[in-house]
C-alpha cells in the first residue's frame, strides 16, 4: 500500500515538473517572438507622412562650392532660360512704312489748271444773284483742285473773298471727265452792296497747294452783262453741285 502511494506521488511530481517546464518554454517562445517583432518593426523603413518629400533634407541645401545651393542654382538657370525665351518672343518687327498721300511725294497728282481743264459759268434761279462755276477735267489723269478759284470780273483790281464756311474736309480731286464746282454770289439781294458795276468779262485762276497761282488766268465767257458789287464772294471748290450753291 505504501508503495502504491509513493508511486502516485512520484507520478504527480513528475507531471507537475513537466508542466512547469512546458510553461517556461512557452513563455520563452513568446518573449522571443515579441523581441523579434520589435526588432523587425525597428529595422523596417518608415513611410513618410503625406505632403512630406521623400528626398533627404540635406539634398536641398547642398552647395556647389560657390555658396549657392544646388536647388537655387537650378531655379536660377530655369528662370534665365524663360526670361530669354520671353525676351525673344516680345521682339516686334519694325512698323511698315506708311504710304504717302496721293498728292504728296513722287508720283503726286498734278494740279488742276487751265491746261488740263475746261471752265464754264452759268446763272441759277436759286439762290438769287448766284452763279455756278464748273471745272471739268479734260486730261488723262486725275488732278487736284486746291482751295478756291481766283475770280476777276471786268477791271477789278482784286479777287473777291472766299466763304470760309464752305471749306471742304479734303482737297477736291477731279478724275478725267469729272467736274468740280464753286458758287459765286454776284451781288446782295437787298441792294445793300456798294460800288456795283456790270461786265461781260471774267477771268479765272487756279491755286497750287501753297496757295500760289497755278498757271495763268483763263478767260471764261459770261454771255451777258453780269452785275457785281461789294458783296461778291466765291466758295471753295466742291465735289457736289448742291454744296457749291448752299452759301
Amino acid at each position: 500500500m505504501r508503495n502504491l502511494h509513493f508511486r502516485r506521488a512520484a507520478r504527480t511530481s513528475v507531471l507537475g515538473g513537466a508542466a512547469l517546464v512546458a510553461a517556461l518554454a512557452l513563455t520563452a517562445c513568446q518573449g522571443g517572438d515579441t523581441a523579434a517583432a520589435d526588432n523587425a518593426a525597428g529595422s523596417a523603413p518608415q513611410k513618410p507622412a503625406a505632403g512630406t518629400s521623400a528626398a533627404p533634407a540635406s539634398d536641398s541645401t547642398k552647395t556647389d562650392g560657390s555658396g549657392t545651393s544646388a536647388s537655387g542654382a537650378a531655379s536660377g538657370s530655369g528662370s534665365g532660360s524663360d526670361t530669354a525665351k520671353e525676351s525673344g518672343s516680345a521682339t516686334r518687327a519694325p512698323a511698315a512704312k506708311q504710304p504717302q498721300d496721293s498728292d504728296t511725294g513722287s508720283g503726286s497728282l498734278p494740279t488742276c489748271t487751265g491746261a488740263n481743264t475746261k471752265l464754264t459759268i452759268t446763272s441759277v434761279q436759286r439762290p438769287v444773284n448766284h452763279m455756278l462755276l464748273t471745272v471739268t477735267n479734260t486730261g488723262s489723269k486725275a488732278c487736284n483742285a486746291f482751295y478756291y478759284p481766283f475770280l476777276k470780273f471786268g477791271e477789278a483790281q482784286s479777287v473777291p473773298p472766299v466763304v470760309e464756311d464752305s471749306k471742304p474736309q479734303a482737297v477736291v480731286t477731279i478724275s478725267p471727265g469729272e467736274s468740280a464746282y464753286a458758287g459765286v454770289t454776284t451781288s446782295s439781294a437787298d441792294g445793300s452792296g456798294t460800288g456795283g458795276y456790270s461786265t461781260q468779262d471774267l477771268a479765272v485762276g487756279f491755286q497750287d497747294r501753297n496757295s500760289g497761282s497755278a498757271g495763268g488766268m483763263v478767260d471764261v465767257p459770261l454771255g451777258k452783262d453780269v452785275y457785281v458789287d461789294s458783296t461778291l464772294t466765291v466758295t471753295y471748290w466742291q465735289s457736289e453741285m448742291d454744296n457749291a450753291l448752299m452759301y
Side-chain angles (χ1 to χ4, degrees):
M1 182 66 69
R2 288 179 57 187
N3 293 332
L4 178 61
H5 285 293
F6 178 80
R7 287 195 296 269
R8 287 179 178 176
R11 183 182 297 177
T12 301
S13 177
V14 171
L15 292 174
L20 178 59
V21 171
L24 291 175
L26 180 61
T27 300
C29 290
Q30 290 177 346
D33 293 342
T34 301
D38 292 341
N39 291 334
S43 62
Q46 298 296 319
K47 184 178 180 180
T52 304
S53 173
S58 60
D59 289 347
S60 62
T61 58
K62 289 183 179 179
T63 64
D64 57 3
S66 62
T68 303
S69 66
S71 59
S75 175
S77 175
S79 62
S81 176
D82 292 342
T83 302
K85 186 182 295 182
E86 292 174 0
S87 175
S89 62
T91 303
R92 297 181 179 179
K97 185 177 181 181
Q98 296 297 319
Q100 295 180 330
D101 295 336
S102 60
D103 58 346
T104 61
S106 61
S108 61
L109 296 178
T111 300
C112 297
T113 65
N116 55 11
T117 64
K118 179 182 179 180
L119 291 163
T120 59
I121 190 168
T122 56
S123 297
V124 295
Q125 293 182 347
R126 293 286 185 275
V128 296
N129 300 342
H130 274 64
M131 301 186 78
L132 179 67
L133 179 64
T134 303
V135 55
T136 302
N137 186 345
T138 58
S140 59
K141 189 176 183 180
C143 65
N144 287 328
F146 292 103
Y147 306 108
Y148 56 92
F150 291 143
L151 304 182
K152 182 181 179 182
F153 282 90
E155 299 299 324
Q157 300 300 310
S158 62
V159 298
V162 67
V163 180
E164 288 295 341
D165 289 344
S166 66
K167 187 175 183 178
Q169 294 182 350
V171 175
V172 175
T173 299
I174 311 174
S175 299
E178 301 297 323
S179 300
Y181 310 90
V184 181
T185 301
T186 57
S187 60
S188 62
D190 58 4
S192 59
T194 59
Y197 61 95
S198 295
T199 183
Q200 293 188 9
D201 298 324
L202 171 64
V204 178
F206 293 90
Q207 297 187 62
D208 59 23
R209 68 170 52 259
N210 298 316
S211 301
S213 178
M217 299 292 286
V218 180
D219 291 330
V220 180
L222 291 175
K224 62 177 183 178
D225 286 341
V226 174
Y227 180 80
V228 296
D229 63 19
S230 59
T231 62
L232 177 66
T233 58
V234 64
T235 70
Y236 283 86
W237 289 116
Q238 308 289 330
S239 298
E240 302 294 333
M241 182 186 305
D242 292 342
N243 293 339
L245 294 176
M246 65 182 298
Y247 298 98

